[in-house]
Amino acid sequence: MKILILGGTRFLGRFLTETALRKGHDVTLFNRGRENSGLFPEAEKLIGDRNGNLKALEGRSWDAVIDTCGFVPWAVRESAGLLAGAAGHYTFISSASVYDELQNPGIDENHPVSQLPPGKVEELEKDAAGPASYEYYGELKFLCEKEVEKSFPGRNLIVRAGLIVGPYDYSDRFNYWVSRIAEGGEVLAPGRRDKEVQFIDVRDLAEWIINMAEEGGTGTFNATGPESRLTMEQLLEECKTVSGSDAELVWADEEFLLSNDVRYWSEMPLWIPDRENMAGFLAVAIKKALRNGLSFRPLHETIRDTLGWEAGRPDMDRKAGLDPEKEKAVLAKWKQQTV
């Protein structure tokens, strides 16, 4: 197949490209050429910008398009509209963040989504570079889906991904736990041990997306993992096993953490307090994707390979995780309280 990937060199796009090339497809990458431009010399590379410079895509045709970097509907409208007559199939990487009413686990693809108030999308488009676009991430992703469906009716695949993890993940959410556990010592752990967590290895997601594109698969799918329920304690204990760490997990009460300004999700990745009433956010239903071939490698492989990548990663500011000094201070206060 001839596959066009919008993006293709950073994280999910990197592994989509790698997978497609390994399977013998002709791959074209369209991006700004600013990151990892030396990757994949065997792929065709088109330079442009989906926010106003799609000229390199004109007059070309592909069997399938995979859009990894569509965040706002006005940009997706332009790319999908231009490619509607030039490609047979369009895959859009959306997000489980589109969902509203997150109180209960088991959210499937028919669950209500968050909607912008009337006139808000026009306001956001006028201030396209403003921070509000991040505030309404889920709502805008859903509107992106609608643009794809308009331009590729009956020949689109919408992938509502959960947290994507693995090597080259610069979000640092999963990486924080893998690295922190490997360091050993007392590790501050958040809230309930049995709290469910969900994520998917980027390589498993990429493999499934390429398979679906090959088959011309259509529809909307939740895509996260694992196949069976995983708790925070099970994840952290597996991190200990894989890294051979002597880490001692110190489980602190949620209200204590919040009262000591420990920020959930950012400083304590994968943790959302019970009082936020968002049990469904990390417990979405994936039965539809499983019936269509989504599969997962063992958790220990994801931990091992992430840890291996972390070992050679350049020193840079982290986007998530608890500062070591703050962790020590909070641990000391917790111990005083529980004596």
Side-chain angles (χ1 to χ4, degrees):
M1 293 174 65
K2 292 172 61 179
I3 300 176
L4 169 66
I5 298 178
L6 305 182
T9 59
R10 187 164 173 82
F11 185 38
L12 175 57
R14 181 188 193 118
F15 287 99
L16 285 166
T17 302
E18 184 177 287
T19 302
L21 289 170
R22 171 173 51 79
K23 299 184 77 174
H25 299 301
D26 294 327
V27 177
T28 300
L29 302 178
F30 174 82
N31 54 51
R32 293 175 294 182
R34 295 178 183 175
E35 292 193 60
N36 302 317
S37 58
L39 286 177
F40 310 119
E42 63 272 52
E44 179 186 22
K45 297 173 183 178
L46 302 179
I47 303 300
D49 189 332
R50 67 178 310 148
N51 296 303
N53 181 14
L54 301 176
K55 190 171 181 60
L57 299 177
E58 295 176 0
R60 300 289 303 276
S61 64
W62 292 271
D63 298 305
V65 179
I66 304 176
D67 186 345
T68 71
C69 56
F71 299 108
V72 292
W74 48 90
V76 173
R77 183 186 311 133
E78 292 298 317
S79 63
L82 174 65
L83 294 166
H89 185 270
Y90 198 109
T91 296
F92 179 71
I93 310 304
S94 186
S95 169
S97 295
V98 301
Y99 293 117
D100 198 6
E101 302 174 12
L102 301 171
Q103 301 93 327
N104 299 312
I107 291 171
D108 67 14
E109 293 81 359
N110 297 313
H111 190 82
V113 298
S114 298
Q115 302 276 6
L116 287 174
K120 190 65 178 180
V121 69
E122 291 81 9
E123 177 187 326
L124 293 172
E125 186 171 0
K126 289 178 182 177
D127 184 29
S133 292
Y134 298 99
E135 178 184 350
Y136 295 103
Y137 175 79
E139 292 88 342
L140 292 171
K141 273 289 195 180
F142 176 68
L143 293 177
C144 290
E145 295 179 9
K146 297 292 105 182
E147 294 297 339
V148 171
E149 290 170 354
K150 287 177 189 175
S151 294
F152 284 79
R155 50 196 182 104
N156 67 83
L157 173 66
I158 305 298
V159 179
R160 291 177 177 167
L163 181 64
I164 308 172
V165 306
Y168 300 98
D169 171 18
Y170 290 95
S171 77
D172 291 316
R173 298 185 185 106
F174 184 80
N175 310 26
Y176 168 74
W177 290 115
V178 170
S179 300
R180 179 64 192 91
I181 295 294
E183 288 173 10
E186 292 185 327
V187 178
L188 186 65
R192 288 191 291 109
R193 301 164 182 252
D194 64 347
K195 205 169 186 69
E196 185 171 359
V197 293
Q198 280 186 316
F199 48 82
I200 186 168
D201 189 300
V202 63
R203 297 163 294 183
D204 296 332
L205 183 59
E207 187 82 21
W208 181 71
I209 290 170
I210 295 298
N211 289 344
M212 290 290 282
E214 289 172 342
E215 297 165 6
T218 60
T220 299
F221 293 83
N222 292 337
T224 186
E227 186 170 354
S228 55
R229 190 175 188 274
L230 177 70
T231 67
M232 190 71 172
E233 183 175 35
Q234 288 171 325
L235 167 63
L236 299 187
E237 289 293 340
E238 188 70 3
C239 287
K240 285 179 61 177
T241 299
V242 172
S243 61
S245 170
D246 66 353
E248 177 189 349
L249 300 176
V250 180
W251 295 88
D253 176 80
E254 290 190 341
E255 292 305 318
F256 169 82
L257 293 175
L258 292 169
S259 66
N260 282 275
D261 193 33
V262 177
R263 297 191 300 276
Y264 67 88
W265 198 252
S266 56
E267 288 186 314
M268 288 269 102
L270 277 73
W271 168 51
I272 302 176
D274 290 339
R275 75 180 191 186
E276 293 297 317
N277 207 17
M278 294 175 62
F281 185 72
L282 289 173
V284 302
I286 58 170
K287 292 180 181 178
K288 185 177 178 183
L290 292 173
R291 290 196 301 268
N292 284 266
L294 180 62
S295 62
F296 310 97
R297 69 194 61 219
L299 176 58
H300 70 83
E301 288 188 16
T302 301
I303 295 170
R304 179 199 66 199
D305 296 346
T306 301
L307 192 60
W309 172 69
E310 280 280 333
R313 179 179 171 181
D315 187 26
M316 57 194 299
D317 290 339
R318 298 299 176 121
K319 294 182 178 178
L322 193 59
D323 176 80
E325 293 305 314
K326 184 172 181 178
E327 182 188 29
K328 289 178 184 176
V330 175
L331 279 167
K333 289 185 70 173
W334 175 250
K335 286 181 181 179
Q336 289 176 352
Q337 177 174 305
T338 55
V339 168

